[in-house]
Amino acid sequence: MEYNFKEVEAKWRAKWASDKTYKSEINSDKPKCYVLDMFPYPSGAGLHVGHPLGYIASDIYARYKRLKGFNVLHPMGYDSFGLPAEQYAIQTGQHPALTTEQNINRYREQLDKIGFSFDWDREVRTSDPSYYKWTQWIFIQLFNSWYNPETNKAESIETLIPKIKNFDQLSEKEQSDILMEYRLAYLGEAFVNWCPALGTVLANDEVKDGVSERGGHPVERKMMKQWSMRISNYAQRLLDDLEGIDWTESIKESQRYWIGRSEGSSLRFEVQNSELKLEVFTTRPDTIFGVSFMVIAPEHELVEQLTSADQKQAVEDYLEKTKNRSERERMADVKNVTGVFTGAYAIHPFSGKQIPVWIGDYVLAGYGTGAVMAVAGHDSRDYAFAKQFNLPIIPVVEGGDLEKEAYEAKAGKIINSDFLDGLEVKDAMKKVIAKIEELGLGKGKINYRLRDAVFGRQRYWGEPIPVFYKDGIPQVLPENELPLVLPEVDKFLPTEDGEPPLARAKDWKYKGEFEYETTTMPGWAGSSWYFLRYMDPKNDSAFVSKEAVDYWQNVDLYIGGSEHATGHLLYVRFWTKFLNDRGFIPVNEPAKKLINQGMIQGRSNFVYRFDFHGKVLFQSTFEENSEGMARESFEDAKVEVESDVLYYFVDNSPNIFLSHNYYAEFINGKLSKEDICNLVKIKFPFFNDYTERYGVDFELSSIKLTALHVDVNIVENDVLDLDAFKNWREEYKNAEFILEDGKYICGNEVEKMSKSKWNVVSPDLIVEKSGADVLRLYEMFLGPLELSKPWNTNGISGVSNFIRKLWRLYNQDGVWSVSEEKAEKKELKSLHKTIKKIVEDIERFSFNTSVSNFMICVNELTELKCNKREVLEPLAIIISPYAPHIAEELWLKLGHKDSIFTATFPVCNESYLVESSFNYPISFNGKTRFMREFDLSVPKEEVEKEVMAMEQTQKYLEGKTPKKVIVVPGKIVNIVL
RNA sequence: GCCUUGGUGGUGGAAUGGUAGACACGCAGGACUUAAAAUCCUGUGGCAGCAAUGCCGUAAGGGUUCAAGUCCCUUCCGAGGUACCA
């Protein structure tokens, strides 16, 4: 009996579920291991083969760790608040909770088919009130905390109050306002990305090229009152602690860049004939003598006061222009330098020279002080501005060619700089900062690019912010009144006055009296702490129990996509540090190790349709006959008469498809339109008949081959399943094909996986056709986990064969045939070599090579006709993380009562691997020429001697005396000529 | 532009500085079969040759080394991220 994957897999999945095989509990006897996947947003489209890639990898790792004696926590859940469900709700009126539920069910069904070892009892959903109760609770803790720069951690707001002078004597409103400037969750004014089409505010990382990431709607900058998170207080720690975590370098680099630490100095410039002072931040105080102008942002608060009377009109015009320029436009032409002179002059703090003050939109209001001291010689943006407006460029660092470009390197000797002349950049930097501080003009300073994160969204489908307003003063809800449940609304749209959807909720007031906050939390709120909730998902009295978090600590392995580098992965680090500061959890990083799985792209297939018009060349006397002929053949023919010539225009009927090679040759010019027509005529002689009898012919100008996406699920190895194609769509029912070598070969292209390109492959289909084990092995076999690669099923039969071969090791001629005989040395060697490799592979997440190693092992054992329990039992265990279903079935048949996942991963016995001899490659100048076997006990000198004495050696020596002979024992012999 | 990655047969991909192309797909030939499927066997980087064998070959060019796909330098190309951050 051949292996029946359908029956076996279904049986085990049911049994694992009913036995709760993967249930994990706090068990302090065993070391813990927490393996986490980035949880999915349950979209309406369901899973495609790209999604499970990371899940399979983490599942293998989790199962492996379990067999290695770890107590493994491997949960799964859903990031179930989000915009798509809300937009669907707006379109259809269906409640997002409903569609979310449906989508989750679909995801679950698909996930279940793949045989993951998730502990489903720990499932979380961020949109569930029992979950978001605690998201709200954490918000309250953030609200009630401030960042103490002295202790360098978050503390209760209570420790701040004594530091504020006369706090008791202030009014309630004044107290609230002061504390609001320190709270880690605070209500503040901020420029936000307002998206009118979505009626919501978007985070920086949700805006791409000036349009919303989801939906692509335009976004404008607008000043609004917003709930925000003071993540910027954590900038330095978020940066420093990257050192201690084992994350991919690319993610760390993105985060470093995003945090954007820069060291420099603040510096105040006096303004001529004015009391005003202009403060700038610069990273190059050493170039202070190279300042030839200043530039301030159009939004700078001093713009009006600095503008002189005769520049007033010009400045106003400029401001009007930049205001109307959308973000998108500004980004589209970065090269277009714009600006205007204010008419004001600043005074150089050292030289006393006049420096013109300009306005330019390359200076951003939100960074530093919104003003720069422009050093055109040593900053490319200042350089471009100076060139545009003919401003002076003063070289102050030696090196570079200022005729061509700015010299930005921080190296060289300082020139033209008074007391700094002759110093190296580094030393000049120190000296000038000291001077600036001495004169009280400013001080050395560190700036961060990282901005506070806006937390409020003008949306319905998110966690309500647990805040109400009493006399205009925001108050958080008492903790015992959580959760603040999302109220029902009549529509999921903003109100007519532009209020968020929650403002529609009827009689939704705290104690029937006080207005609730109407914005909701962003998508990242729930995902910033979910790794903690999995530890204790049902806890009703705490977000996680001390016991659970003390045991599970943090994530040992986190697998997910790199697209979350600066969003989710930064926020979750921030919240973790905060919760740690406040003593709620013992860890300050969420994940010790993180790896990114690559994207699986789609591999589209194409068919090539022959498109033509038919044309009658005969004159009108033949009209009737010809027309009859046409009607008979082409039901949809359009008939037109033009100067006595009858034309039939026949559109795509019948459907004729040419195999890919013809298309390729047509495109590269090897086949002409005539050649294509002739091919069609050879295949379908009736076209020839028409030509001969009635003069019907193809109109050459209309001939083309149209490439059409074809459903990749009816194509195998680029060969089209003709019958399936005919049934695919009604209009292809009578399709005709021109084949090559008896097959219809489809074209292919790598594109993003998408429904419209017909290249989406659902894992369900693979499972249906080949089984879950095959899907799991194949996804791993495709290549290194981190690399992006196109999906193709070309190699899947190899994995299918492997599973069958594995089965046959245990079953000869369909009969269970494992013997109790003692295994031979060769057999044990094959097994132990494999154990060693698999352990190495898993530890370095090289899952593709481990599949190869299993294949090698099974091939070897098949060759040896090995059927010994001593070998086959450990083999089942080492393969079980990869192919759990078949392994479990083999385990049962081997006579075990308990699941294979209660077994122990075998240990490699090195003594089986010891080789007594080695087949040395003998090379000349590094080129291997022949082989020679030596016992490994033979000393170097002896090897050299014997090799030199060989006849073949003499041949390659060509009579010369070798300069040197290198013998690396167990590796190679190299003879240098 | 910058950052991060990659670039190896027809294809997916292997290779602690030590026999480049493991494993798999595909392809070709063969066995079994009335036939097909399945299975099994053999071959398969390129060029030349009946063959033995020789030459060439890891994006391109240099370098280090007895020995380089691997280390260093320069250049080119692809993918992902990012963007006027003073």
Side-chain angles (χ1 to χ4, degrees):
Chain A
M1 191 185 65
E2 277 287 291
Y3 176 55
N4 183 339
F5 68 83
K6 259 187 199 161
E7 213 171 88
V8 170
E9 291 188 349
K11 175 178 84 183
W12 285 111
R13 281 199 288 269
K15 183 142 170 63
W16 291 330
S18 67
D19 288 1
K20 295 199 185 293
T21 306
Y22 307 117
K23 192 163 178 53
S24 41
E25 283 173 89
I26 297 179
N27 175 350
S28 41
D29 298 344
K30 286 186 186 176
K32 68 98 189 183
C33 184
Y34 186 177
V35 181
L36 183 62
D37 297 289
M38 282 186 197
F39 63 0
Y41 174 80
S43 82
L47 290 175
H48 63 65
V49 289
H51 293 112
L53 184 70
Y55 302 160
I56 294 169
S58 65
D59 194 60
I60 290 169
Y61 192 77
R63 288 177 184 271
Y64 166 74
K65 282 293 189 183
R66 201 182 291 269
L67 292 167
K68 278 280 193 183
F70 285 81
N71 186 26
V72 173
L73 175 58
H74 187 40
M76 180 50 81
Y78 306 96
D79 186 13
S80 48
F81 272 132
L83 203 47
E86 178 156 338
Q87 280 192 306
Y88 190 72
I90 291 167
Q91 283 161 23
T92 64
Q94 273 208 61
H95 198 285
L98 199 72
T99 48
T100 300
E101 170 83 24
Q102 287 165 355
N103 293 346
I104 285 177
N105 290 341
R106 169 97 181 100
Y107 263 59
R108 175 64 190 275
E109 201 182 295
Q110 290 185 291
L111 288 170
D112 275 348
K113 284 185 185 161
I114 305 173
F116 292 120
S117 62
F118 297 128
D119 177 358
W120 282 109
D121 288 352
R122 292 176 182 267
E123 179 196 299
V124 301
R125 302 176 182 195
T126 56
S127 60
D128 192 309
S130 70
Y131 182 91
Y132 69 67
K133 167 181 176 178
W134 297 106
T135 310
Q136 292 171 335
W137 180 86
I138 294 171
F139 174 89
I140 291 172
Q141 308 313 310
L142 283 155
F143 179 85
N144 286 329
S145 301
W146 70 295
Y147 198 85
N148 185 342
E150 282 160 30
T151 57
N152 216 358
K153 57 197 262 193
E155 293 177 7
S156 162
I157 200 87
E158 299 300 324
T159 68
L160 173 67
I161 290 172
K163 296 176 195 280
I164 300 170
K165 265 188 213 151
N166 305 328
F167 187 80
D168 294 344
Q169 284 146 45
L170 300 173
S171 72
E172 202 185 337
K173 176 88 173 85
E174 287 167 329
Q175 289 184 345
S176 165
D177 287 350
I178 287 200
L179 294 182
M180 201 54 97
E181 300 198 8
Y182 293 90
R183 295 182 190 279
L184 290 178
Y186 67 98
L187 189 59
E189 291 256 304
F191 271 111
V192 294
N193 302 306
W194 173 250
C195 181
L198 301 175
T200 185
V201 170
L202 300 172
N204 272 333
D205 48 307
E206 287 170 316
V207 184
K208 291 253 154 77
D209 301 330
V211 297
S212 63
E213 194 181 20
R214 284 179 182 172
H217 306 291
V219 175
E220 58 190 50
R221 288 183 68 70
K222 194 176 167 188
M223 183 70 107
M224 283 178 89
K225 263 215 154 165
Q226 282 296 326
W227 281 97
S228 299
M229 290 284 164
R230 222 176 282 281
I231 187 173
S232 58
N233 284 167
Y234 280 86
Q236 189 63 48
R237 280 169 64 191
L238 288 169
L239 187 65
D240 291 343
D241 292 350
L242 283 173
E243 297 302 322
I245 49 179
D246 184 9
W247 288 19
T248 57
E249 198 45 44
S250 63
I251 294 272
K252 286 194 193 183
E253 197 51 44
S254 304
Q255 293 210 348
R256 282 188 200 111
Y257 183 71
W258 198 257
I259 294 166
R261 181 186 202 270
S262 52
E263 278 181 51
S265 171
S266 68
L267 186 55
R268 269 187 305 280
F269 284 71
E270 311 249 339
V271 178
Q272 194 174 38
N273 306 325
S274 159
E275 291 297 297
L276 297 173
K277 296 228 163 67
L278 208 47
E279 183 166 344
V280 301
F281 171 74
T282 176
T283 55
R284 296 297 303 272
D286 56 304
T287 62
I288 178 76
F289 287 95
V291 176
S292 48
F293 55 100
M294 316 264 298
V295 188
I296 63 175
E299 299 93 339
H300 197 278
E301 53 183 7
L302 297 182
V303 163
E304 207 178 315
Q305 297 175 67
L306 285 170
T307 303
S308 68
D310 48 337
Q311 283 298 101
K312 194 158 190 278
Q313 193 55 49
V315 168
E316 275 173 14
D317 290 349
Y318 182 68
L319 293 185
E320 194 51 39
K321 207 171 83 190
T322 53
K323 198 187 282 171
N324 287 343
R325 268 178 104 195
S326 70
E327 284 276 303
R328 202 212 299 235
E329 279 176 312
R330 272 172 80 161
M331 289 198 201
D333 61 355
V334 284
K335 289 198 183 95
N336 196 359
V337 179
T338 67
V340 66
F341 179 45
T342 59
Y345 290 90
I347 304 294
H348 193 286
F350 295 120
S351 71
K353 279 187 194 151
Q354 287 189 359
I355 311 168
V357 179
W358 286 66
I359 300 170
D361 69 358
Y362 79 95
V363 176
L364 305 177
Y367 184 77
T369 60
V372 302
M373 54 173 237
V375 182
H378 306 284
D379 180 288
S380 59
R381 293 151 306 171
D382 297 344
Y383 185 88
F385 198 82
K387 282 279 175 195
Q388 176 75 27
F389 296 106
N390 262 325
L391 294 159
I393 298 171
I394 309 168
V396 288
V397 184
E398 266 182 1
D401 179 3
L402 297 192
E403 287 303 309
K404 285 198 206 120
E405 58 184 1
Y407 177 65
E408 295 189 289
K410 290 187 181 177
K413 226 168 235 161
I414 304 287
I415 51 171
N416 301 330
S417 296
D418 195 354
F419 64 92
L420 297 174
D421 278 348
L423 292 173
E424 273 298 314
V425 165
K426 234 175 35 195
D427 304 322
M429 199 88 85
K430 279 188 205 134
K431 186 159 179 184
V432 76
I433 290 177
K435 190 87 174 174
I436 287 167
E437 290 183 350
E438 182 192 320
L439 297 175
L441 298 169
K443 59 179 179 182
K445 203 180 160 188
I446 293 159
N447 235 1
Y448 299 95
R449 207 168 83 103
L450 184 68
R451 243 66 76 67
D452 282 347
V454 173
F455 198 67
R457 297 294 129 100
Q458 273 61 14
R459 279 189 208 157
Y460 176 74
W461 193 229
E463 301 88 342
I465 294 178
V467 164
F468 63 91
Y469 294 87
K470 189 175 169 190
D471 304 325
I473 299 172
Q475 322 259 346
V476 290
L477 254 64
E479 288 173 18
N480 61 13
E481 292 182 33
L482 296 178
L484 173 59
V485 178
L486 196 55
E488 290 306 316
V489 292
D490 56 344
K491 268 193 236 168
F492 304 105
L493 288 168
T495 66
E496 282 68 27
D497 336 325
E499 289 287 303
L502 287 195
R504 293 176 176 274
K506 279 211 175 66
D507 306 322
W508 191 53
K509 285 188 174 144
Y510 182 62
K511 295 201 189 291
E513 189 178 353
F514 305 110
E515 296 288 344
Y516 278 122
E517 169 64 39
T518 52
T519 60
T520 53
M521 298 188 197
W524 53 268
S527 60
S528 290
W529 71 282
Y530 76 110
F531 80 98
L532 294 163
R533 189 62 179 172
Y534 280 135
M535 298 174 182
D536 192 10
K538 306 239 158 62
N539 195 331
D540 199 33
S541 56
F543 71 107
V544 59
S545 72
K546 186 166 169 7
E547 194 193 7
V549 71
D550 280 349
Y551 178 74
W552 295 112
Q553 299 274 315
N554 54 10
V555 177
D556 293 280
L557 176 66
Y558 196 21
I559 297 186
S562 54
E563 67 273 20
H564 301 290
T566 52
H568 161 62
L569 289 174
L570 207 51
Y571 299 129
V572 66
R573 293 184 61 220
F574 160 45
W575 279 33
T576 304
K577 287 178 190 305
F578 165 74
L579 291 169
N580 177 236
D581 282 356
R582 293 301 317 273
F584 297 118
I585 58 172
V587 292
N588 74 354
E589 282 292 342
K592 294 189 189 89
K593 179 164 183 72
L594 173 128
I595 53 182
N596 299 121
Q597 88 267 23
M599 217 199 309
I600 289 196
Q601 293 147 312
R603 188 174 182 283
S604 309
N605 275 118
F606 296 90
V607 290
Y608 304 97
R609 190 180 60 203
F610 176 68
D611 285 345
F612 65 97
H613 291 319
K615 186 179 181 184
V616 172
L617 297 173
F618 283 157
Q619 299 297 303
S620 53
T621 46
F622 291 91
E623 265 174 39
E624 258 175 70
N625 274 346
S626 306
E627 191 178 341
M629 202 65 221
R631 292 254 176 265
E632 186 184 300
S633 320
F634 309 121
E635 282 177 21
D636 303 325
K638 273 188 221 125
V639 182
E640 274 176 31
V641 183
E642 195 182 294
S643 38
D644 284 352
V645 178
L646 185 66
Y647 293 96
Y648 301 115
F649 292 101
V650 185
D651 294 321
N652 310 332
S653 176
N655 279 299
I656 299 170
F657 294 92
L658 280 78
S659 190
H660 174 253
N661 197 34
Y662 300 112
Y663 176 76
E665 298 202 337
F666 179 61
I667 291 298
N668 70 23
K670 280 191 192 155
L671 289 177
S672 65
K673 287 185 175 180
E674 286 93 335
D675 295 334
I676 296 291
C677 293
N678 286 333
L679 275 167
V680 171
K681 286 179 181 172
I682 291 164
K683 168 81 182 179
F684 304 106
F686 62 88
F687 283 113
N688 257 339
D689 293 351
Y690 293 164
T691 305
E692 279 167 22
R693 288 162 63 192
Y694 303 105
V696 177
D697 207 343
F698 299 121
E699 189 185 304
L700 278 186
S701 67
S702 74
I703 299 298
K704 59 180 180 189
L705 292 179
T706 306
L708 299 166
H709 278 99
V710 59
D711 188 343
V712 294
N713 294 301
I714 57 173
V715 178
E716 206 176 331
N717 290 343
D718 288 337
V719 178
L720 183 66
D721 179 334
L722 300 181
D723 290 329
F725 182 75
K726 288 181 182 178
N727 289 327
W728 182 39
R729 286 186 169 174
E730 181 60 27
E731 69 252 44
Y732 299 149
K733 201 170 62 188
N734 298 316
E736 298 284 356
F737 305 94
I738 298 182
L739 309 175
E740 48 183 306
D741 301 330
K743 290 173 189 160
Y744 189 96
I745 309 293
C746 296
N748 70 79
E749 217 171 277
V750 173
E751 302 174 292
K752 205 179 151 182
M753 228 179 236
S754 112
K755 240 179 175 173
S756 63
K757 296 185 167 75
W758 286 101
N759 61 0
V760 174
V761 185
S762 141
D764 308 19
L765 263 166
I766 310 279
V767 171
E768 180 68 23
K769 242 160 115 179
S770 312
D773 287 338
V774 168
L775 173 76
R776 292 169 62 104
L777 286 167
Y778 187 61
E779 291 224 3
M780 294 299 102
F781 189 60
L782 265 180
L785 182 62
E786 311 86 332
L787 292 183
S788 291
K789 55 236 153 190
W791 176 258
N792 76 78
T793 50
N794 287 356
I796 205 158
S797 59
V799 173
S800 252
N801 287 343
F802 164 73
I803 288 286
R804 276 197 292 266
K805 265 176 142 174
L806 175 70
W807 184 256
R808 281 201 296 268
L809 270 183
Y810 299 75
N811 299 272
Q812 259 147 44
D813 303 320
V815 182
W816 183 256
S817 52
V818 173
S819 94
E820 302 297 327
E821 271 174 75
K822 197 99 189 78
E824 285 169 40
K825 184 136 192 265
K826 270 189 192 163
E827 297 166 340
L828 288 166
K829 184 178 169 187
S830 178
L831 171 73
H832 283 266
K833 183 183 72 188
T834 308
I835 294 172
K836 186 177 177 174
K837 292 206 160 171
I838 297 306
V839 170
E840 283 168 7
D841 287 340
I842 296 183
E843 302 283 348
R844 66 190 170 110
F845 306 101
S846 173
F847 300 106
N848 55 326
T849 50
S850 37
V851 178
S852 298
N853 283 321
F854 285 129
M855 288 173 172
I856 292 168
C857 181
V858 167
N859 286 347
E860 282 173 358
L861 295 177
T862 304
E863 178 84 0
L864 294 167
K865 298 200 179 358
C866 173
N867 66 342
K868 323 274 166 55
R869 172 185 289 272
E870 195 183 349
V871 171
L872 297 187
E873 196 164 272
L875 178 66
I877 300 174
I878 63 173
I879 216 162
S880 67
Y882 294 79
H885 306 86
I886 190 171
E888 191 77 281
E889 180 71 9
L890 292 170
W891 191 248
L892 175 77
K893 297 211 161 182
L894 283 162
H896 298 277
K897 297 255 168 3
D898 289 333
S899 164
I900 192 167
F901 296 100
T902 61
T904 301
F905 202 88
V907 177
C908 167
N909 183 343
E910 295 276 350
S911 68
Y912 293 118
L913 308 184
V914 176
E915 301 275 355
S916 61
S917 66
F918 180 74
N919 201 14
Y920 281 89
I922 314 299
S923 58
F924 294 79
N925 287 338
K927 281 189 183 181
T928 304
R929 294 299 182 178
F930 54 91
M931 310 295 286
R932 168 73 198 263
E933 184 146 349
F934 285 103
D935 200 281
L936 277 167
S937 61
V938 177
K940 272 169 88 165
E941 295 71 25
E942 185 64 23
V943 171
E944 181 176 340
K945 210 171 118 194
E946 287 201 32
V947 168
M948 292 312 291
M950 285 172 74
E951 204 177 304
Q952 281 160 295
T953 307
Q954 295 310 315
K955 178 181 154 197
Y956 288 102
L957 282 179
E958 293 169 342
K960 290 178 223 160
T961 316
K963 286 185 191 135
K964 207 181 195 180
V965 178
I966 287 153
V967 180
V968 185
K971 291 259 162 132
I972 201 164
V973 176
N974 192 17
I975 297 161
V976 186
L977 294 176

